[in-house]
Amino acid sequence: MFSVCTDPSVLSAPAWFACYLTTGKLMMFYGSFGVVLLLLAITAPAALLFGFAAAAAARSPFVPLSWAGKAYIAIVRGVPDIAFFLFFVIALDQGFEWVRHKIKCPDWDQPIRQGNDFVVCAAAKLPLSTSPQWVHETYGFFLAVLTFAIVFGAFAGNVLFGAMRAVPRAQMETAEAYGMSHRQTFWRILVPQMWVYALPGLSNLWMVLIKATPLLFLLGVEDIVYWARELGGAKTARFTDYPHGDWRMWYFLALLIFYLAFTKLSEVVLSRIMRRLSHGQATAAGEAQRRTAGGPA
Amino acid sequence: MKKLLLGTAALAFSAGMALASDVVRMGTEGAYPPYNFINDAGEVDGFEREMGDELCKRAELTCEWVTNDWDSIIPNLVSGNYDTIIAGMSINDEREKVIDFTQDYIPPATSSYVALSEGADLKGIVAAQTSTLQAGYITESGATLLEFSTADEIIAALKSGEADAVFFDTDYLAPIVEESGGELMFVGEQVTLGRGTGMGLRKSDTELKDKFNAAITSMKEDGTLNTMLVKWFGEGTDTY
């Protein structure tokens, strides 16, 4: 990066580190923090959406829909994450390619499964093997987002399903007595009130999600833990200008600080949201707020 | 002007289509110097990078390098995430049941024990990388095998005293022993394992295999392969 960095072996320690910390490889490490944050930023709302749909389906009066919602929650919660990541993603990817193969190459006469190989025509490849590397990386990233959303959506679904049942029945009955339809009571009474019951469970899920990102490398997405391991490993002078011993401890220490800071920040934000949601609710926290504000005992 | 632009776009597009079948994605591990590793700039480098690029040039293919975890390197080839494995993988019968190999581009390599002292117990706890020939050899040697997912971790296990010795590829270990300043040393006999290193391909990709085989043959014949072997593995390495 800097012109002095052409021969790092003669540099003093501060200059050596300045050069080392700005190599292309370290830049990729810094970039991977962005990848992880972006993944969380997309996955969290997506998982919440999956969970909300599952919970709404599970309590639907229409029985098949209710079964579908409950089955999704039960099955996905029961399968270990790592099995899900190894099996489901490859299956999903092959499913997409199979559909594209059927549409784009109807005259293909060879079998798709040839022994261990999964062979589709070149036009059905996803992404096309001619696409640049970033397309492959983006595709892998979105497969990861989708898988995380499905897995965490099931857990979120279970939390929201419980939260919906925790809303006092009397509230719903009152709404019905006012002549609101099923849809209206759901959107106007149930949904605004359930969040306060759901938030403790959802905040747990968020914390677990933050720490689940190393599963990404199973999908070929290089996350911060992959880079910390790769960079921290001992390097001999033959293959790098910056030889060093086993520095994994320092790299993992940096990750530890990052994760702790991130969970602390999340806690602060979540407790603020909780305070706002409790406002005016018929819960212990809402009642305490009312008292401190000077309301009648 | 607009027509011209459209024309160039169409031309570029059709040129892209013509090349469509010729982009080959090369899968490697990126953690196995001098075979393959990530250099300071964050790119794949090493003997296999240099040789692979030369092979692609000779076979008139456009190659793209991707890295993948060693543990899942074969499943990802088979399911089509990349087209070749070029990761210092030795040719052996067990792997040949699942994938095909080109002819070898590195002669059968030797493996060695490295330990902290001359008297280390080679029948004690020996560390090796998961799913390697060396790991298989240790299991049969009667020693207790300690497996790690990367080669770097076996050295760390030796230094921390977790393992009595490590057993791995001599070419990988040599620079590490050299630069350890006497802390690490080769002990015991060298062992030759496997039938050489080759590129792994899907069994259904016979056309690509023929292309790479032809390119490897031409590199063997004009001596460029030997020059590269000596450059990366040092004088005295086995050549063709």
Side-chain angles (χ1 to χ4, degrees), chain B residues 170-211:
Chain B
T170 314
D171 291 319
Y172 175 86
L173 294 172
I176 296 173
V177 171
E178 223 169 87
E179 291 186 21
S180 71
E183 187 194 359
L184 303 177
M185 61 196 72
F186 284 110
V187 289
E189 302 262 303
Q190 291 196 346
V191 186
T192 303
L193 292 176
R195 312 205 304 265
T197 303
M199 267 167 91
L201 296 123
R202 281 184 293 274
K203 281 185 182 294
S204 49
D205 255 351
T206 47
E207 199 184 321
L208 191 62
K209 186 174 135 184
D210 294 342
K211 280 185 188 169

